Amino acid sequence: MRRRGIFILVILLLGGSLLPPVRAVSAATASPAPAQRILLLFDSLGRGTDQEGNVAELQRLLAAYSAQVTLKPIAGYEPGSMSAYTGVITVVNNDELGITNQAYLQDAAKYRGAVLHVGYRPPAGMQQALGLKPGVWHGAGASLSIGGFTGIPLDVKKMPYITAAGSGRSYGLWSSADEGMQAPFAVSRGRITYLPYLKQGNFTGMAAAYVLKDWLKFTAEPQTYLVIKEIYPFSDLELLEELADRLYQSGIPFIASVRPVFGNTDFPAMKRYLEALRTVQAHNGSIVVNAPAVRPPVNTKDRTLRGKMNHFINVLTEGGAVPLGVAAEGYWTYDKEYSTAGMGFFNSAVLYPDGETHYMEQMDTSAVFASAVYSLPPELLQGISRDGKAMPQLPLNAGVTYDLPENEDGLEELLQSLKNEWYTFADYKQASHKVSTDIHTLVAAGGVIQVDGHTLDVDYIPKTVIDDYQYQEKQATSFNTLFSVQNQFFIVVILAALILFGGLLAIGYRLYRRKYLRK
């Protein structure tokens, strides 16, 4: 029988909302110094246009390649700063206004590092180097083929594209059967690359990853992971265990992105949570800690996040459910407090698209993780044409994300979706991960997890958690014996008085009868 205690649920919800202050501890550094330092410049964020969100998409793609990114508007570029970076990306979303910052124009002309231009109006020097002839596509749509994916129909508006290019390398192919258009998705030659069009939320983001992989000279073999998120202590934990078992029987490893609990961690509900997570771990599931939700208003003076995250990681570890990474929205890596106090224990991360952004202390330079996973919804890959039956290898570490199903029907739907798409998922713990708290060091590599130097035995038989828990401590009392004796004394006195009163009534009644019945 599925157990859901309303009282426990309320207590845990209150406990998980960044509750009591906990002593701050030193967090681990997110990662060693990055190999790539990228300057990402933009003329506008394209609000209300088809290009809106493309800058944020680039930020998350670059994070998946472990690049450290500094984000600045072109108008705010300062002379001489370009030389400090291994690569420069310029995003031009405005198709009418030119770039007027002379410091940028002069430094860009002299820069000899890797250069990537995204959007409208590639510079004249780039056009000459690549033999480019840029244009703007005004058709209603076009189809994209790249990396084993073929003929993906996409809606585009005022799309900048390449009408002609020289002898450089081309990536992918745009086509339109009705108007006879054929054009490369991107072109590259030496250190210079031009990517005309990128839109957040459709397949152009994944297509851009093919381009960035070469532009960044990323040589590690990318992996694709299955990520199950929205897992809470009050979720249907029996359904979670059933999902883990079904995936295990199908030979599918997965990542469980679990929501943290910051208070009441000794309650039976928390113990059941740990039991379920240990079962997940025993069925080839890897655990990552999902960052807590941030809701406005943000209290910039609240610096308790580090202590709370540290405590929860320790609770998981000591309960036998060892986390290997952190999961958060991409903007967390650009916040000084969130990236250090919330994510700094880990060198591995799963990065979700931004929802509502609520910064505490925003930075223009990102935190970096040695291993980062770019998450994408299954809808992005479902039903699209491809070479062969199996899903082609994606160009970066990617996580296909599903929410934990709410019922048996949702579970069957999820499993059928995985079967239909012929994914090949990797085991997250085969990669290298490190987590450090104030008292524990957790390491995973080659499928082996170690806690403080000792190998963790992931085999586990679930136990029943007893609900016999005292939710409220007994209050200290005094004079218990005296009050007990007094109570007993008063009870005796009252009983005696009642008996006496009853006797007097009986006597009075008899006297009454003798007096009046004789007459």
Side-chain angles (χ1 to χ4, degrees):
M1 187 178 75
R2 295 188 172 97
R3 302 176 292 266
R4 295 190 183 196
I6 299 300
F7 176 73
I8 300 173
L9 166 62
V10 172
I11 293 296
L12 280 171
L13 279 173
L14 292 174
S17 57
L18 297 178
L19 265 178
V22 184
R23 180 179 58 86
V25 297
S26 297
T29 316
S31 76
Q36 300 277 3
R37 298 187 66 235
I38 305 302
L39 178 62
L40 178 55
L41 301 168
F42 61 94
D43 68 334
S44 80
L45 295 176
R47 304 289 190 194
T49 71
D50 213 35
Q51 283 74 29
E52 182 175 359
N54 60 3
V55 173
E57 185 71 8
L58 278 170
Q59 290 175 270
R60 207 158 59 93
L61 288 168
L62 290 166
Y65 289 116
S66 296
Q68 185 180 62
V69 179
T70 298
L71 178 68
K72 289 183 179 294
I74 295 175
Y77 175 81
E78 298 178 355
S81 56
M82 196 175 290
S83 60
Y85 299 90
T86 56
V88 176
I89 301 175
T90 303
V91 181
V92 175
N93 286 326
N94 193 312
D95 62 340
E96 296 178 354
L97 299 178
I99 297 171
T100 58
N101 186 330
Q102 292 301 312
Y104 164 78
L105 294 173
Q106 291 171 10
D107 285 358
K110 297 181 293 184
Y111 184 70
R112 291 297 174 261
V115 175
L116 172 62
H117 187 92
V118 179
Y120 297 102
R121 299 194 316 277
M126 176 175 285
Q127 293 186 41
Q128 183 178 1
L130 296 175
L132 280 179
K133 187 177 290 186
V136 178
W137 177 253
H138 293 281
S143 295
L144 175 62
S145 299
I146 192 170
F149 296 94
T150 59
I152 304 166
L154 297 172
D155 293 327
V156 295
K157 298 176 182 177
K158 292 181 63 177
M159 179 181 77
Y161 78 112
I162 301 165
T163 63
S167 59
R169 176 176 178 179
S170 63
Y171 294 84
L173 181 69
W174 284 110
S175 61
S176 175
D178 57 341
E179 299 186 42
M181 182 266 284
Q182 284 199 335
F185 175 74
V187 292
S188 177
R189 185 177 182 183
R191 64 182 184 86
I192 301 173
T193 301
Y194 178 47
L195 194 167
Y197 182 76
L198 171 63
K199 181 179 179 180
Q200 186 180 47
N202 70 12
F203 198 78
T204 57
M206 187 55 60
Y210 287 94
V211 181
L212 287 171
K213 184 174 184 244
D214 288 345
W215 187 74
L216 293 166
K217 296 180 171 59
F218 189 82
T219 57
E221 183 178 358
Q223 303 291 344
T224 302
Y225 302 100
L226 170 62
V227 181
I228 306 297
K229 59 188 185 71
E230 299 305 320
I231 300 173
Y232 299 84
F234 51 83
S235 297
D236 189 335
L237 299 181
E238 289 186 2
L239 193 66
L240 173 62
E241 292 176 3
E242 183 182 351
L243 171 61
D245 184 59
R246 297 280 295 276
L247 291 173
Y248 182 72
Q249 292 178 22
S250 300
I252 301 175
F254 68 103
I255 298 172
S257 181
V258 305
R259 290 286 184 173
V261 178
F262 293 149
N264 309 314
T265 52
D266 55 347
F267 278 22
M270 183 63 198
K271 297 185 186 304
R272 282 193 291 273
Y273 197 30
L274 289 172
E275 289 291 313
L277 296 182
R278 289 193 68 179
T279 301
V280 164
Q281 192 174 250
H283 287 76
N284 218 13
S286 299
I287 297 167
V288 299
V289 178
N290 202 122
V294 180
R295 296 181 175 86
V298 175
N299 182 0
T300 57
K301 296 181 180 180
D302 184 356
R303 303 291 170 169
T304 62
L305 176 59
R306 177 177 294 171
K308 293 169 184 176
M309 287 292 287
N310 178 81
H311 175 68
F312 181 67
I313 298 167
N314 287 338
V315 168
L316 287 181
T317 302
E318 290 158 12
V322 178
L324 304 182
V326 63
E329 295 178 53
Y331 84 93
W332 271 56
T333 63
Y334 287 84
D335 187 283
K336 184 176 181 181
E337 177 69 8
Y338 300 156
S339 63
T340 54
M343 306 176 77
F345 303 95
F346 309 89
N347 76 342
S348 301
V350 177
L351 299 178
Y352 299 136
D354 293 343
E356 292 184 8
T357 57
H358 303 291
Y359 291 97
M360 178 178 283
E361 195 172 347
Q362 187 173 1
M363 307 182 297
D364 60 11
T365 300
S366 65
V368 187
F369 294 86
S371 169
V373 174
Y374 170 92
S375 71
L376 65 155
E379 296 79 20
L380 191 69
L381 301 174
Q382 283 175 351
I384 62 178
S385 301
R386 55 197 186 223
D387 297 333
K389 194 170 187 179
M391 183 69 65
Q393 185 184 55
L394 300 178
L396 76 177
N397 288 332
V400 182
T401 59
Y402 289 84
D403 289 350
L404 177 68
E406 297 181 355
N407 49 44
E408 293 285 346
D409 290 341
L411 173 60
E412 294 299 332
E413 183 179 341
L414 187 157
L415 294 170
Q416 189 61 44
S417 173
L418 297 178
K419 180 180 178 181
N420 292 343
E421 296 301 329
W422 287 78
Y423 291 105
T424 301
F425 290 117
D427 185 353
Y428 193 62
K429 62 181 176 289
Q430 291 289 334
S432 296
H433 310 284
K434 184 176 181 181
V435 184
S436 298
T437 69
D438 59 340
I439 57 176
H440 294 299
T441 299
L442 320 173
V443 177
V448 177
I449 300 173
Q450 289 190 327
V451 178
D452 302 326
H454 302 286
T455 300
L456 178 72
D457 182 6
V458 297
D459 292 335
Y460 183 64
I461 299 175
K463 301 175 183 177
T464 301
V465 178
I466 300 174
D467 282 328
D468 185 15
Y469 181 83
Q470 183 178 303
Y471 286 95
Q472 187 173 3
E473 293 183 5
K474 291 183 178 180
Q475 300 297 317
T477 57
S478 58
F479 304 111
N480 281 352
T481 303
L482 175 61
F483 290 145
S484 178
V485 171
Q486 286 180 343
N487 289 340
Q488 293 176 8
F489 172 76
F490 287 129
I491 289 172
V492 171
V493 170
I494 291 170
L495 288 175
L498 289 173
I499 293 171
L500 178 62
F501 184 67
L504 292 174
L505 284 177
I507 294 172
Y509 178 70
R510 292 185 63 183
L511 293 175
Y512 172 81
R513 285 177 59 85
R514 288 178 182 178
K515 180 177 180 181
Y516 292 100
L517 293 179
R518 288 179 181 177
K519 294 181 180 180

